[in-house]
């Protein structure tokens, strides 16, 4: 699974990235996690508000910092798709 | 009767019965100010951000972009500025929104109307203005803010300044995936209220310490700074008070919660309300970090016009309000 966090590197985006990593660790999910900081790339992905979380190129969360619990539910749901 | 009479009554009881102070003493006045304002402002903060957070679920940026696409008339600016009331965003989102709107066919001037109104008319500023200065002042703030956003956006649209947007912006073609979360359409009311609560409690947790600290300083000013102290330095007699207040507001970005309670106390000492409105708008709408990030998509000339128009508008609003009230 490919997970992208989109955000210019402000505290909100960094918190989001950390929480995604924590959530993956807690559910033993080996994901390829990367951080998109380039605005052009972000826009091409369709991100309008930051921070955003994308799974395999699809936006699953946008405009707020998700909690670890929320991310775990989301990632588990995605993993069984 | 004021809807906040209960808070006033509780604060009076606390000061006179529990602390045994006179409301006319310096300390009594300060303590009353603190215990009246803190519960009132925090209650409003929760209520207003809950309302805005819930309404926001109908106004996700993707939907807003669809409504605004291709609207070249003034109606587009009006719509964009009005939607901006209910959709505050953090300054990191300014650039993705800007690119996303232009890419989705929203005209430049309409995009600017949204970009000016959204941060200026935000739930924290509205809750604080309401709690500290009353509903009428809040309505005037929102009215002036939206008008400024409409006019500044319309001016940028009229001047056809697309050439001063960084060229890479026009080359971007976004994928149109069907995102699971952003459309917000067909969400159950319960889910919208949950979202409103989540947003409201998040804002509350972040902002309350500033509110309490600001009110504590305001309480000190209220009880101890001599009457008419401000009238002498920043009252109607000082024609430069409005632009100076605007300059002071720029570096205070995002701290509207901590600063506004202090200005409330200053108003009682003779600071004109129009000056406060200008100051608040400068704190929310003119942020240095936002200008720095916007530079990535705007050529310096367009950035200058955007900042210049907004600053001039904010200063004009302060003078206008002070003149109308005086």
């Amino acid at each position: 699974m490919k997970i992208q966090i989109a955000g210019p590197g402000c505290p909100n985006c960094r918190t989001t990235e950390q929480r995604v990593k924590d959530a993956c660790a807690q559910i033993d999910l080996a994901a390829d996690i990367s951080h998109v900081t380039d605005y052009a790339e972000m826009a091409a992905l369709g991100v309008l508000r930051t921070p955003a979380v994308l799974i395999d190129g699809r936006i699953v969360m946008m405009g707020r910092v998700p909690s670890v619990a929320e991310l775990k539910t989301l990632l588990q749901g995605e993993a069984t798709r | 009767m004021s809807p906040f009479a209960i808070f006033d009554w509780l604060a009076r009881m606390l000061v006179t019965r529990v602390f045994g102070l006179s409301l006319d003493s310096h300390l009594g006045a300060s303590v009353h100010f603190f215990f009246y304002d803190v519960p009132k402002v925090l209650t409003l903060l929760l209520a207003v951000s809950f309302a805005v957070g819930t309404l926001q679920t109908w106004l996700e940026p993707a939907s807003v972009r669809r409504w605004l696409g291709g609207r070249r008339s003034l109606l587009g600016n009006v719509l964009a500025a009005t939607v901006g009331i209910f959709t505050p965003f953090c300054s990191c989102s300014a650039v993705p929104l800007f690119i996303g709107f232009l890419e989705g066919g929203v005209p430049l001037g309409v995009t600017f109307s949204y970009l000016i109104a959204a941060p200026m008319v935000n739930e924290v500023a509205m809750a604080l203005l309401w709690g500290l200065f009353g509903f009428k002042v809040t309505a005037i703030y929102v009215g002036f803010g939206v008008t400024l956003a409409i006019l500044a956006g319309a001016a940028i649209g009229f001047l056809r300044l697309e050439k001063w947007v960084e060229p890479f912006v026009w080359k971007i073609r976004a994928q149109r995936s069907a995102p699971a979360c952003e459309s917000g359409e067909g969400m159950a009311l319960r889910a919208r209220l949950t979202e409103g609560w989540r947003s409201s409690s998040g804002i509350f947790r972040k902002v309350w310490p500033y509110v309490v600290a600001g009110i504590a300083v305001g309480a000190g000013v209220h009880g101890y700074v001599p009457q008419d102290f401000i009238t002498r330095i920043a009252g109607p007699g000082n024609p430069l008070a409005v632009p100076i207040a605007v300059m002071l507001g720029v570096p205070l970005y995002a701290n509207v919660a901590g600063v506004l309670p202090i200005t409330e106390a200053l108003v009682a000492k003779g600071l004109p309300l129009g000056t406060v409105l200008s100051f608040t708008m400068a704190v929310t709408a003119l942020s240095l970090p936002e200008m720095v990030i916007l530079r990535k998509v705007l050529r310096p000339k367009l950035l200058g016009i955007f900042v210049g128009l907004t600053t001039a508008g904010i200063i004009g609003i302060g003078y206008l309000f002070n003149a109308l009230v005086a």
Side-chain angles (χ1 to χ4, degrees):
Chain A
M1 186 189 290
K2 188 176 155 205
I3 306 177
Q4 287 163 299
I5 292 100
C10 62
N12 284 340
C13 328
R14 273 182 273 132
T15 312
T16 306
E17 183 176 358
Q18 192 51 52
R19 288 189 182 168
V20 168
K21 285 179 178 160
D22 291 349
C24 286
Q26 286 178 26
I27 58 170
D28 272 327
L29 181 78
D32 164 23
I33 303 172
S34 59
H35 198 135
V36 180
T37 53
D38 179 57
Y39 285 119
E41 202 180 327
M42 233 182 270
L45 288 167
V47 172
L48 288 175
R49 284 197 298 173
T50 61
V53 179
L54 295 93
I55 296 178
D56 296 328
R58 268 186 331 119
I59 300 171
V60 293
M61 188 152 295
M62 188 159 80
R64 64 187 175 85
V65 181
S67 70
V68 176
E70 227 179 304
L71 285 166
K72 271 159 65 177
T73 319
L74 195 76
L75 291 170
Q76 273 163 340
E78 286 293 323
T80 56
R81 267 163 69 98
Chain B
M1 197 175 82
S2 154
F4 308 116
I6 177 78
F7 294 119
D8 185 33
W9 182 81
L10 282 172
R12 277 167 191 278
M13 287 299 122
L14 196 68
V15 171
T16 50
R17 299 283 166 80
V18 180
F19 296 126
L21 294 165
S22 156
L23 286 165
D24 298 324
S25 69
H26 284 308
L27 185 61
S30 283
V31 173
H32 174 265
F33 183 98
F34 184 80
F35 284 103
Y36 175 40
D37 270 12
V38 168
K40 180 175 69 171
V41 172
L42 290 183
T43 307
L44 275 169
L45 183 65
L46 263 183
V48 173
S49 53
F50 174 70
V52 171
T54 307
L55 283 171
Q56 226 177 327
T57 60
W58 276 280
L59 298 166
E60 283 297 331
S63 322
V64 173
R65 176 170 66 177
R66 218 167 38 243
W67 300 335
L68 297 178
R71 287 192 193 271
R72 303 218 161 265
S73 62
L74 191 66
L75 181 70
N77 298 91
V78 175
L79 214 60
T82 312
V83 167
I85 303 177
F86 305 104
T87 53
F89 58 81
C90 98
S91 58
C92 318
S93 293
V95 166
L97 272 171
F98 182 84
I99 302 178
F101 272 35
L102 291 187
E103 195 270 333
V106 181
L108 185 65
V110 175
T111 303
F112 266 107
S113 284
Y114 180 76
L115 224 52
I116 295 170
M120 178 154 34
V121 187
N122 68 71
E123 63 270 66
V124 178
M126 284 196 278
L128 276 133
L129 284 170
W130 190 353
L132 302 169
F133 300 105
F135 183 75
K136 214 164 108 188
V137 173
T138 316
I140 291 171
Y141 178 87
V142 174
F144 274 144
V146 168
T147 309
L148 169 60
I150 293 170
L151 295 180
I156 289 173
F158 178 75
L159 293 170
R160 303 191 180 282
L161 301 176
E162 283 80 359
K163 55 183 181 290
W164 288 337
V165 172
E166 290 292 350
F168 84 90
V169 173
W170 303 111
K171 298 199 183 93
I172 292 168
R173 287 286 165 268
Q175 60 175 33
R176 287 278 182 277
S177 64
C181 72
E182 62 166 322
S183 70
E185 278 156 23
M187 233 171 130
L189 183 63
R190 204 187 153 79
R192 294 183 194 276
L193 293 173
T194 312
E195 194 52 47
W197 172 247
R198 178 164 31 212
S199 140
S200 166
S201 54
I203 290 172
F204 188 85
R205 267 197 303 272
K206 212 159 49 183
V207 166
W208 78 264
Y210 295 102
V211 175
V212 173
I215 294 176
V217 176
V221 172
H222 179 78
Y224 291 92
V225 172
Q227 208 50 255
D228 291 339
F229 168 73
I230 298 297
T231 312
R232 274 184 279 124
I233 56 167
N238 183 349
L240 288 178
V242 173
I244 292 172
V246 170
M247 293 305 150
L248 286 176
V250 175
L252 291 171
Y253 173 66
N255 261 313
V256 74
V259 217
L260 265 192
I262 306 173
T263 60
E264 182 203 7
L266 295 179
V267 165
K269 310 285 177 195
L271 184 68
L273 256 180
T275 313
V276 174
L277 289 182
S278 286
F279 176 74
T280 313
M281 287 180 174
V283 174
T284 53
L286 291 173
S287 102
L288 279 176
E290 188 179 313
M291 290 175 206
V292 172
I293 355 188
L294 278 176
R295 172 63 192 91
K296 290 194 197 298
V297 283
L298 305 179
R299 293 259 171 96
K301 278 182 188 164
L302 183 49
L303 186 63
I305 288 175
F306 161 64
V307 174
L309 275 176
T310 313
T311 310
I314 290 175
I315 293 175
I317 287 168
Y319 281 127
L320 183 69
F321 187 84
N322 284 345
L324 288 178
V325 172

